[in-house]
């Protein structure tokens, strides 16, 4: 928490976060141009932001893309604000970062949505909860069904016994308990640019796990907005489920 406040105390670093909020997933060169700062100076500021977990990086080929990570801000909100002003999930929704870039590079598509969270558990426990159909039923409200072998189909199946799959795809890559890559599309959906792809990256972080989810090859900004809210709730619910065995209350629909 001290690192977060130290990072936010500097107006230049707040300006960098503002630029990422407006256009997430920028390279160092793009950020230098955006904030009009020399590479060496900006690299130092980014180092402070990364140490505070306010910025997450993802490599695409030779590029290193920078994303605003809202999780530390949410933790501040939980500690000092949520008990007095607004429900936890409302604050999380307000703080979450929506990626704005729908561009491609020579080395592959830029991540359209990136979210990093930290879960007090082992990588094996989080990995199990990502794929076990009963666990996903508890926090994701669907059974994730597959034999989880490379090239195998997978499905995100409703709990009502109808056998209806709301999302289907293929297991592209699986490296337990570190990395899972899935194609992601609606049943029978035609996507001119091909199916979307979701990647789960798990890394040990002290006694916890750093989980980063990227969702790429989205159709447009409307789809990006739709999945951003959904992923933020699912990942918050996953964290609560793994750490406590309970789940968050489902927000009322108005």
């Amino acid at each position: 928490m001290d690192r977060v406040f130290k990072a936010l105390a500097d107006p230049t670093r707040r300006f960098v976060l503002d630029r990422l909020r407006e256009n997430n997933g920028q390279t160092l060169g793009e950020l230098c141009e955006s904030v009009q700062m020399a590479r060496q100076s900006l690299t130092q500021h980014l180092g402070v932001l990364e140490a505070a977990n306010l910025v997450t990086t993802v490599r695409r080929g030779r590029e290193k893309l920078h994303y605003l990570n809202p999780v530390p801000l949410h933790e501040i909100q939980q500690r000092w604000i949520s008990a007095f002003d607004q429900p936890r999930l409302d604050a999380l929704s307000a703080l979450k970062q929506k990626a704005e870039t729908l561009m491609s590079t020579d080395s592959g598509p830029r991540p359209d949505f990136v979210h990093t969270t930290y879960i007090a558990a082992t990588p094996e426990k989080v990995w199990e909860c990502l794929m076990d159909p009963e666990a996903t039923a508890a926090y994701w409200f669907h059974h994730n069904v597959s034999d989880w072998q490379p090239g195998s189909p997978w499905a995100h199946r409703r709990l009502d016994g109808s056998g209806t799959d709301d999302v289907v795809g293929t297991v592209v890559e699986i490296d337990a308990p570190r990395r899972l890559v899935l194609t992601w599309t609606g049943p029978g959906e035609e996507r001119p640019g091909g199916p979307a792809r979701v990647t789960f990256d798990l890394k040990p972080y002290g006694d916890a796990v750093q989980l980063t989810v990227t969702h790429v090859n989205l159709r447009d900004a409307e789809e990006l907005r739709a999945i951003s809210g959904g992923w933020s709730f699912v990942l918050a619910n996953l964290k609560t489920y793994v750490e406590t065995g309970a789940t968050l209350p489902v927000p009322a629909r108005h």
Side-chain angles (χ1 to χ4, degrees):
M1 197 68 72
D2 289 341
R3 291 183 176 182
V4 175
F5 284 116
K6 177 183 176 181
L8 294 174
D10 185 275
T12 298
R13 290 194 282 272
R14 294 198 299 271
F15 185 69
V16 171
L17 294 178
D18 283 338
R19 300 289 74 77
L20 290 176
R21 177 175 55 83
E22 294 171 358
N23 185 16
N24 222 359
Q26 295 188 55
T27 65
L28 178 60
E30 289 170 336
L31 272 173
C32 286
E33 183 177 351
S34 177
V35 303
Q36 298 183 348
M37 183 178 294
R39 295 176 70 92
Q40 183 175 0
S41 299
L42 182 56
T43 298
Q44 293 175 350
H45 284 297
L46 288 171
V48 175
L49 291 169
E50 288 186 52
N53 296 320
L54 288 164
V55 167
T56 298
T57 60
V58 176
R59 286 202 173 273
R60 283 295 178 266
R62 297 181 179 179
E63 293 186 322
K64 185 178 182 181
L65 308 180
H66 299 79
Y67 292 83
L68 188 153
N69 178 29
V71 172
L73 302 179
H74 175 50
E75 291 174 348
I76 292 173
Q77 179 272 333
Q78 283 186 298
R79 182 169 179 176
W80 283 291
I81 300 174
S82 62
F84 307 100
D85 293 314
Q86 60 189 32
R88 176 183 180 187
L89 289 177
D90 288 346
L92 178 60
S93 177
L95 290 170
K96 75 177 184 295
Q97 176 61 33
K98 297 176 180 178
E100 300 291 343
T101 306
L102 295 169
M103 300 170 58
S104 294
T105 65
D106 292 340
S107 56
R110 288 175 182 253
D112 296 321
F113 173 83
V114 177
H115 187 107
T116 299
T117 190
Y118 297 85
I119 303 174
T122 64
E124 290 78 11
K125 178 62 175 178
V126 177
W127 182 265
E128 177 185 356
C129 288
L130 287 174
M131 294 183 293
D132 179 76
E134 298 307 317
T136 57
Y139 70 86
W140 210 339
F141 315 121
H142 284 73
H143 294 297
N144 280 357
V145 181
S146 178
D147 65 8
W148 302 114
Q149 298 298 313
S152 292
W154 82 281
H156 195 54
R157 187 163 297 162
R158 294 182 187 176
L159 305 182
D160 57 11
S162 66
T164 301
D165 298 331
D166 288 323
V167 180
V168 295
T170 302
V171 180
V172 177
E173 180 182 346
I174 186 164
D175 180 16
R178 291 176 287 272
R179 183 175 172 87
L180 175 66
V181 184
L182 308 169
T183 61
W184 183 288
T185 188
E189 181 183 12
E190 294 292 335
R191 299 179 70 98
R197 181 176 295 203
V198 172
T199 300
F200 301 87
D201 284 308
L202 292 79
K203 297 179 181 179
Y205 188 82
D207 294 330
V209 176
Q210 180 192 68
L211 171 63
T212 299
V213 175
T214 62
H215 197 148
V216 307
N217 202 31
L218 300 171
R219 282 192 303 264
D220 49 32
E222 182 178 351
E223 184 176 36
L224 175 60
R225 285 192 295 271
I227 66 99
S228 294
W231 274 121
S232 292
F233 179 80
V234 167
L235 295 175
N237 213 16
L238 168 63
K239 174 180 170 66
T240 302
Y241 178 75
V242 173
E243 292 180 346
T244 71
T247 56
L248 297 171
V250 178
R253 295 181 181 272
H254 299 287

